[in-house]
Amino acid sequence: MSNLTDMEIFARVVSAGSMSAAGREMNLSPAVVSKRIRRLEEKLGTRLLQRTTRQIAMTEAGQGFYERVVAIIASVEEAESFVSRGSARARGSLKVAVPTSFGRLHIAPHLGNFLTANPDLTVNLDLSDDFVDIVGDGYDLAIRIAELSDSSLVARKLSPVHRVLCASPSYIARYGMPETIEDLSEHVTLASTNQDPWRLAGPDGIETVRTRAPVKTNSNEVIRECLLAGVGIALRSTWDVGPELREGKLQMLLPHYRASRDVGLYAVYPSRQFLPAKVRVFIDFLAGLYGSEPYWDAGLEDWLRLPSRAKAG
């Protein structure tokens, strides 16, 4: 069997993106890291990494080997944790990818309580609205707001996500209230580039609405600010605009149309037989924090119970 430390170095090189960065993380010189990778390749009889002056890339064999190494290292960590501290004890570093706005609003404020309960754990929180490569980029898990399709990853639903059409009172005062889904074509409709078009469930099934606005952006936070400034109508999650809806700064529109109910908040992580304690306790913490009736929907329950009356099929 290949030496476990060599496999750990290989995994760290992949996740860090370079041998020098991996060396800094592991307190090893780049020369030592390079030597250990060569030794591992020689033992396996295949090249794992393609090296250039600026970056490294995995070969096809390297990709498959990396996925298995990550699972092996996770299993070893789980075994050590079970023996030395008990299976419920989390330790080490947890690398998590989280959507930018959601991480800022609903994860960062709660990290203090989580870290107090898990003093041997550190959290590397990476905020991004892109769908990261969990395995390839070395993440322990990712938080995603999406309709999840079949994949090799494991997903646990943490909470429902309700997305509603809304606008500011100033926008409605200037341009009027849309009465039908067709009326939206006469309004400014705001969406980031990765949320266009809208798929709305309504009385006649799924309706697809192409947005039209003088603002083009890949930032959901920019869309949110434009919405509050009265630029147009937007489709927003209640976790994002719940306070503004309760305070009257935004008003819900077309209550029988809403985004797909298949969209949810998920914790997604690589499929592995033994889930590391650090991943499990973080997922359990978030599931307990949000649940089937998340706190951000408080005060909006009557509207959210209103059926969309969408036809089946």
Side-chain angles (χ1 to χ4, degrees):
M1 177 179 176
S2 297
N3 184 278
L4 181 59
T5 303
D6 288 348
M7 291 194 293
E8 290 175 326
I9 291 173
F10 168 71
R12 189 66 66 91
V13 168
V14 173
S15 63
S18 72
M19 293 189 185
S20 58
R24 287 193 296 272
E25 292 179 3
M26 303 185 77
N27 293 319
L28 298 173
S29 70
V32 169
V33 173
S34 179
K35 181 179 178 180
R36 299 293 286 273
I37 295 296
R38 284 199 306 272
R39 186 174 76 175
L40 180 61
E41 290 176 328
E42 289 170 1
K43 182 172 287 190
L44 295 171
T46 188
R47 181 176 289 277
L48 300 173
L49 299 173
Q50 297 289 359
R51 304 160 178 83
T52 67
T53 56
R54 293 189 177 182
Q55 62 182 7
I56 61 169
M58 284 185 289
T59 63
E60 183 177 354
Q63 176 68 46
F65 186 67
Y66 175 74
E67 293 173 1
R68 288 156 179 81
V69 165
V70 169
I72 290 169
I73 293 173
S75 297
V76 170
E77 289 178 351
E78 179 69 11
E80 291 175 345
S81 177
F82 177 81
V83 171
S84 64
R85 296 174 180 265
S87 60
R89 189 76 169 182
R91 61 189 179 92
S93 177
L94 181 68
K95 187 177 181 182
V96 188
V98 184
T100 303
S101 296
F102 188 86
R104 177 174 57 81
L105 293 171
H106 299 294
I107 291 185
H110 305 291
L111 281 180
N113 289 336
F114 176 74
L115 294 172
T116 298
N118 299 276
D120 296 328
L121 190 61
T122 60
V123 178
N124 179 355
L125 203 63
D126 189 355
L127 300 185
S128 173
D129 291 327
D130 296 329
F131 265 34
V132 300
D133 179 354
I134 296 177
V135 174
D137 293 335
Y139 290 96
D140 293 296
L141 75 153
I143 304 302
R144 289 182 175 169
I145 301 169
E147 294 183 53
L148 292 186
S149 57
D150 293 336
S151 73
S152 61
L153 301 174
V154 178
R156 176 177 172 185
K157 189 172 184 179
L158 302 175
S159 171
V161 170
H162 300 289
R163 292 189 295 172
V164 300
L165 290 165
C166 52
S168 70
S170 63
Y171 176 87
I172 295 171
R174 287 198 307 273
Y175 301 105
M177 178 89 70
E179 300 294 336
T180 67
I181 194 74
E182 290 78 17
D183 289 346
L184 290 177
S185 64
E186 304 300 322
H187 284 266
V188 175
T189 43
L190 302 164
S192 59
T193 51
N194 65 349
Q195 290 190 333
D196 183 20
W198 295 338
R199 293 182 71 252
L200 302 175
D204 297 316
I206 298 297
E207 302 274 358
T208 300
V209 176
R210 291 282 178 184
T211 62
R212 52 186 297 272
V215 178
K216 301 293 182 184
T217 179
N218 64 346
S219 169
N220 283 316
E221 293 194 339
V222 168
I223 295 299
R224 184 183 190 278
E225 294 306 310
C226 288
L227 170 68
L228 291 170
V231 175
I233 297 169
L235 181 67
R236 305 301 296 178
S237 298
T238 52
W239 61 256
D240 186 30
V241 296
E244 288 77 14
L245 290 168
R246 285 187 288 271
E247 295 165 10
K249 296 178 181 178
L250 293 174
Q251 185 172 344
M252 295 186 191
L253 311 175
L254 299 175
H256 290 294
Y257 290 91
R258 55 189 71 179
S260 170
R261 294 181 182 273
D262 294 329
V263 174
L265 177 70
Y266 293 90
V268 181
Y269 50 96
S271 178
R272 55 183 64 152
Q273 186 176 0
F274 299 107
L275 185 64
K278 63 182 180 180
V279 176
R280 176 171 48 78
V281 297
F282 191 67
I283 293 174
D284 288 346
F285 174 78
L286 296 183
L289 188 62
Y290 308 142
S292 60
E293 296 182 356
Y295 61 81
W296 53 73
D297 284 342
L300 306 175
E301 296 89 351
D302 289 344
W303 189 93
L304 295 176
R305 278 194 290 267
L306 187 65
S308 64
R309 300 184 310 199
K311 294 180 180 177

